[in-house]
């Protein structure tokens, strides 16, 4: 199972881009990178995922290095409501079903400051 | 919360009593999951279901059982609650799409359980 490493905390000024790094050096070729976030006392929220190409949606952008050993989640214009714990997850497959287990690490606590 | 309702939202119970948490979805998704979240441990998978009456264990399944008699409901039961089961419990659902990347999980709001 590929493990991920994230910094425990980061600060970002409101209105600036937040760049959250994640290392996943043991990722295998068919494993995707997922990002979720959890705002205090709420359930985790899906943000974005990717395999090897960069991805963008209405919430964020995901940049994956060519060797796929690391990735960066970018929130282009952070707001106070983006303050949350951000989890980088590499998908694990379960043999008994056609779905994958999500392994949540400790994540990065992003504090957006005014 | 993507059509997911967890009940109750808060519960206080005593050691040794049975407790059942309910997860109800209106999305008709095939897969359902129960996680627990504790300080210092992040989210950990307890059990999951890949269809009606089809369930399997996660990484912290001891002391828990589950049942899924219909698509929309996934029940988590603590047969005899212990203080170590004090936690926040999250239910999640995902669709059945070919290609693993499509199985994005959507989470409920959580149930805060205290076992005294």
């Amino acid at each position: 199972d590929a493990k991920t490493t994230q910094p425990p905390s980061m600060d970002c000024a409101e209105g600036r881009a937040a760049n959250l790094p994640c290392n996943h050096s043991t990722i295998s070729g068919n494993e995707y990178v997922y990002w979720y976030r959890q705002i205090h006392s709420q359930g985790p929220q899906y943000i974005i995922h990717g395999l090897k190409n960069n991805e963008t949606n209405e919430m964020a952008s995901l940049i994956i290095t060519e060797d796929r050993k690391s990735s960066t989640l970018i929130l282009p214009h952070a707001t106070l409501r983006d303050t949350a714990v951000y989890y980088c997850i590499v998908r694990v497959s379960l043999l008994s079903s056609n779905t994958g287990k999500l392994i949540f690490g400790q994540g990065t606590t992003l504090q957006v400051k005014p | 919360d993507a059509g997911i309702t967890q009940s109750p939202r808060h519960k206080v119970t005593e050691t040794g009593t049975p407790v059942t948490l309910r997860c109800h979805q209106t999305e008709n998704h095939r897969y359902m999951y129960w996680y627990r979240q504790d300080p210092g441990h992040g989210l950990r998978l307890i059990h999951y279901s890949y269809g009606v009456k089809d369930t399997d264990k996660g990484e912290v399944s001891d002391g828990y059982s589950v049942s899924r008699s219909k698509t929309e409901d996934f029940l988590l039961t603590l047969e005899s609650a212990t203080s170590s089961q004090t936690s926040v419990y999250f239910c999640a659902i995902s669709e059945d799409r070919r290609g693993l990347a499509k199985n994005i999980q959507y989470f409920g709001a959580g149930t805060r359980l205290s076992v005294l």
Side-chain angles (χ1 to χ4, degrees):
Chain A
D1 301 349
K3 294 184 178 179
T4 61
T5 303
Q6 299 177 252
S9 63
M10 293 182 63
D11 290 342
C12 178
E14 188 178 20
R16 305 297 294 269
N19 297 288
L20 293 91
C22 179
N23 287 319
H24 32 77
S25 59
T26 60
I27 192 170
S28 62
N30 61 351
E31 289 180 314
Y32 287 72
V33 179
Y34 289 75
W35 283 83
Y36 284 74
R37 73 180 183 183
Q38 187 173 23
I39 297 170
H40 182 62
S41 298
Q42 298 182 19
Q45 176 189 25
Y46 165 79
I47 302 173
I48 198 168
H49 74 282
L51 182 63
K52 54 184 177 181
N53 297 319
N54 297 338
E55 302 288 344
T56 296
N57 62 21
E58 65 277 5
M59 290 182 67
S61 295
L62 174 61
I63 308 299
I64 302 174
T65 57
E66 192 169 345
D67 63 8
R68 302 209 326 119
K69 293 184 177 182
S70 66
S71 60
T72 301
L73 178 74
I74 300 173
L75 307 179
H77 306 286
T79 71
L80 299 179
R81 289 175 296 179
D82 291 322
T83 292
V85 179
Y86 287 78
Y87 296 98
C88 169
I89 300 164
V90 174
R91 180 80 174 272
V92 174
S93 296
L94 291 165
L95 296 178
S96 59
S97 70
N98 199 25
T99 188
K101 177 173 64 175
L102 296 179
I103 299 177
F104 287 79
Q106 297 304 307
T108 296
T109 298
L110 174 68
Q111 181 71 49
V112 180
K113 298 185 175 181
Chain B
D1 291 320
I4 307 168
T5 303
Q6 291 188 233
S7 58
R9 291 294 314 280
H10 303 272
K11 185 171 183 65
V12 179
T13 191
E14 294 184 349
T15 300
T17 60
V19 176
T20 295
L21 308 183
R22 181 185 185 225
C23 179
H24 178 78
Q25 61 144 329
T26 58
E27 306 295 323
N28 200 37
H29 284 2
R30 177 180 175 186
Y31 298 96
M32 299 185 75
Y33 310 81
W34 277 107
Y35 291 86
R36 60 177 290 175
Q37 186 171 33
D38 306 288
H41 289 281
L43 280 100
R44 293 179 291 175
L45 182 65
I46 305 172
H47 281 280
Y48 66 97
S49 169
Y50 47 99
V52 174
K53 293 186 169 42
D54 292 323
T55 65
D56 206 346
K57 296 179 180 180
E59 58 184 313
V60 289
S61 60
D62 288 347
Y64 301 95
S65 63
V66 290
S67 66
R68 186 146 177 227
S69 59
K70 46 187 178 178
T71 300
E72 56 266 35
D73 288 325
F74 193 33
L75 304 180
L76 177 70
T77 297
L78 292 64
E79 299 290 347
S80 179
T82 67
S83 58
S84 65
Q85 294 175 311
T86 292
S87 187
V88 180
Y89 291 86
F90 288 101
C91 172
I93 65 173
S94 66
E95 293 181 83
D96 176 16
R97 292 192 187 184
R98 299 304 162 190
L100 298 177
K102 300 296 185 183
N103 282 325
I104 297 164
Q105 292 186 22
Y106 300 95
F107 287 78
T111 294
R112 188 173 297 274
L113 176 67
S114 296
V115 183
L116 305 178

